[in-house]
Amino acid sequence: MRVEGSTQKEAVSYQLSPSAFWSLPIEDLLQTLATSEMGLSAEEAAARLKRFGPNTLGQRQRSNVPRLLLRQFTSPIILILIAAACLSFVLRDPTDGAIILGIVLVSGLLGFWQEHAAATAVEKLLETIELKATVLRDGRPVEIPTDELVPGDIVLLSAGSGIPADCRLLIAQDLFVDEAALTGESYPVRKSPGIVSPEAPLTQRSNALFMGTYVVSGSGKAVVVLTGRATEFGRISQSLQVSAPETEFERGVRHFGYLLLEVTLILVILIFAFNVYFQRPVLDSFLFALALAVGLTPQLLPAIISVNLAKGARQLAKQKVIVKRLAAIENFGSMNVLCADKTGTLTAGRMQVHKAISPDGQESERVLFYAYLNAAYETAFTNPIDEAIRSYRAFALDGWRKLGEVPFDFERKRLSVLVEHQGQALLVTKGAVHSVLQVCTTAQLADGSERPVADLLDTIERLYTELSGQGYRTLGVAVREWDGAKPIDRNSEVDMTFLGLLALADPLKPGIAAVVERLGRLGVRLKMITGDNALVAARVGAQVGLNATRVVTGSELHALSDEALWVRVRETDIFAEVEPHQKERIIRALRKAGYVVGYMGDGINDAPALHAADVSISVQEAVDVARETADIVLLESDLSVLEVGIREGRRTFANTLKYVFMATSANFGNMFSMAGASLFLPFLPLLPKQILLTNLLTDFPEMTIATDRVDPDWIERPRRWNVHFIRSFMLTFGLVSSLFDYLTFGVLLWVLNAGPDKFRTGWFVESVVSAATIVLVLRTRGPFWRNRPSLPLLLTTVLVVVATISLPYSPLSVPFGFVPLPPLFLTVLAVIVLTYALTAEIAKRWFYRKFSY
C-alpha cells in the first residue's frame, strides 16, 4: 500500500472520478486515497492542499482587490456617466471628458481605499476565531483550520464537532450525528464503521459522515474523502444558492436605496427634459442631468458603512469580542431583546455537588456512587454536570468495566451506561428527574428496601420541589440488572429501580444582577430560555432581576398557536423546560412581534436559534456548530462585554446615519437648487465637471465621520432605520440649503453682476464651503458649539474649505472653468455661509421638537 509518499496523481484520481466511497472496503479506500490510519505527512498534506484548494464551498473569503476596485465603478449612473464622458472626449471637448473621468476615478479610488482597509482589518480579526479540526499529521494529533483539510486526512471527532468534510468512519464509539441540515431528519443518527451498498440513499449511509452536519454525542475517527465543492453539501449549495436572512440593518439600507432611486429618477428625467425643451445642447444637458444624479447619490455610503463597521469591529476586538458578520454590529445597537441560557451566562457554569439523597430524603452514599459510575464511564460529550460529579469524590472502580452506552439526547433527557462487576451487568441511568421516574417501577429506600415507585411519588416530588425552589439543579439516578451479552439502546431503559436524587449548585456570576439592570437601562430586555425546570429558572431569574411571576414551560409552548405565542413572548421573561427546537420558535415569535432579537448560545442544540436571531452570539469555548453559526464570538463568556458591544453598535449606527443625514440633505439641497436654476438661467449654473468636483470635495469631511463623537441619547436606547425620518430630514434641511442657494444666485446675478464664469465660481465656493461647514452643525442634535467634533473631522473640514477657496487662484482653475473672485465676492459669500449655519441651527431645534427618532 502506498501511503504518505504517494504521488499527487495517484492521490487525486478518485476525486476526479468520484465513486460510492461508502461501499468500498476500508483497505481499498485508504489505498485509493494513498493514506493510512496514521494520517498524512505535513509535506504531502501541503501538496494536496495546493492541488485541491481550500476546503470551502467557495473561494476563500479574502478581500479581492480587483473585484473590490471594479465594484466602485459598476453602479448604473456611474457607468452611464463614464460612457457620456467618453462621448464628450471623442466628439467635442477632450479636456472636459478627461476631467470628468479623472474625478470619477479619484472618487472610486477613495471608496476602494476605505473599503479595502476595512476588509483587511476585519480579516485579521476573523483569523483569531477560525474553525479548526483535529487531524493526524505525521502520526500525531494536531489542530488545523478546517479549510486546510485535504483528502486522505484522518480526523478525530467528539461531541459538538462539526463534520468538516465528507468522510468515511474508521472507528466509532456511541457516535450520533445530527444530519438535519442535509437530510431534514430531526433525530440524531447512529454512525458506525462497515460497508454499505453502493445504491444506499444518503439517509442510509451509516458509515459515512457529511460536511454541514455535526456530532451530537460519542466520538470517532474518520478519513477525509471529499472536500469543498465536491462534498454532498457543496453540490447542493451550488445548485441552490441560499443567502443568509436579511438583517434589520440591511433591510434599512435597502429601503433607503429605494428612496434615493425614486428621488433621483424623477429629478433627472425632469431636468433633462426641460433642458432639451429649452433647446440647450443635448450632450451638455445629458451630462448635466447625469452629474446631478451622481450628486444626489451618496456614492461613498458603502465605503462609509464599511469603515464604520470595521472601526466598530476593531473597538470590540479590544474588549475580546470578535465580529464575524459586520452588519451584526449595527443590529447589536438596534437589539432590544437578548435571549440567553441560564447556565454559563447568568450562572458561573461550574457545577458543584450539593447533596445526594434517597427517595425517602436520607443522605445516600449509594446515589453518589452510581452517579459517579455513570459519569466516569460516560464518553459521549464533555459537560459540566459530569465533571462536577467526577471531581466531587473519586470512588475506586477496580473490577468494574464498561460494556455499552446510550448517549444523552434532548428527547429522552437521560444518559445510560452498561457496566459489569464480578460477572453481573448493570444498567445505570441518570437524567432529568421526571424523565428517569418515567422508566422506573420500583424505588430503593435508604435502608435498602424496595417499594413501588408510585407509593413514593409524592415524597420524591416534594423533595424535588424543595431543592429546585432553592435553585439546585436536580437529577434522578436509577439502575437495573442486565444480561451482559445483550447490547443496549434507548428501549433498554425500562423496569428500573429509582435510587434517589442528586442536587447540584451553579452559583450566579458575580455582579450579573447589576449587568442585567444596566442592559435594561439601555433598553435591552433579557429573556431566559433554559432546559432546566421551572422552579430553578424562576429562582435564578428572580435573583438577577427578571420578572419571575410568570414562567412559560415547554409543555405550555406545545399548546400555544403561533399567534398566541407572539402575544405571550411580549410579557414573559423566563422560558423553562424548553426543548431545543422550541428555542428557535421563541426567537421567531419575538421577531414577529417586532423586536430586534439577540440570542446567546454555546451548545449543540443552540444552532437553529442562533441562525434565527437578528444577532447571534456565542463564545470561544462553544462547540463548533455554535461558533460557526454565530455572528459574534466572545473570547470570554461574560455578559458585561455585551453591554460594551451594544454601546459600540449604537455608536456605529449613529455615525452611519450622520453620513446619511448630511449627505442626503446637502446633496438634495444643492442638486435641487441647480435643477431649478438651470430652468431660468441662460447658462448651466455649474458645468458637469464642476458638479462632480463639488460632490468629491464635500465627501472628504464625511469620510472621517467614523471617528466622530456621538450624542449620549443615541447610546441610551435602541434605534432602527426610519426611512420616513430620513425623508423628512432630507426635505427640511435640503430646502434650507436651497433657500440659501437661491439667495446666493440672486446676490451673484443682481448685486454683484456676475457673468457665467464668476457665477459658477462663486456658487461652487459657496456650495462646497457651506456643505462642509454644515456637517459640524448637523452632526449633533444639540447646539454645535457644545459638542466638539473629532479632530480628523475638524481638520478635513478646514482643509476642504481652504482648498475650495484657493482653487480659483490656482493653476487648476483653467481646466475646471473657474476664475479668481474679487475680495467683495468672498466677503459676501462668507456672510451667506455664516447666516446659513445659524439658520440651520435654528431649523435643527425646530425639527427635533417636531420629529423624533
Side-chain angles (χ1 to χ4, degrees), residues 567-586:
V567 177
R568 188 67 61 86
V569 292
R570 293 175 181 272
E571 57 196 34
T572 304
D573 282 354
I574 301 172
F575 299 87
E577 302 171 24
V578 171
E579 296 174 11
H581 69 277
Q582 292 177 323
K583 295 182 179 182
E584 179 184 8
R585 189 176 174 222
I586 293 168

Side-chain angles (χ1 to χ4, degrees), residues 631-652:
D631 297 323
I632 294 169
V633 176
L634 310 183
L635 299 185
E636 292 182 356
S637 181
D638 186 355
L639 202 62
S640 63
V641 174
L642 293 184
E643 181 188 349
V644 178
I646 289 165
R647 291 180 181 276
E648 191 59 45
R650 292 179 185 176
R651 188 174 292 109
T652 303

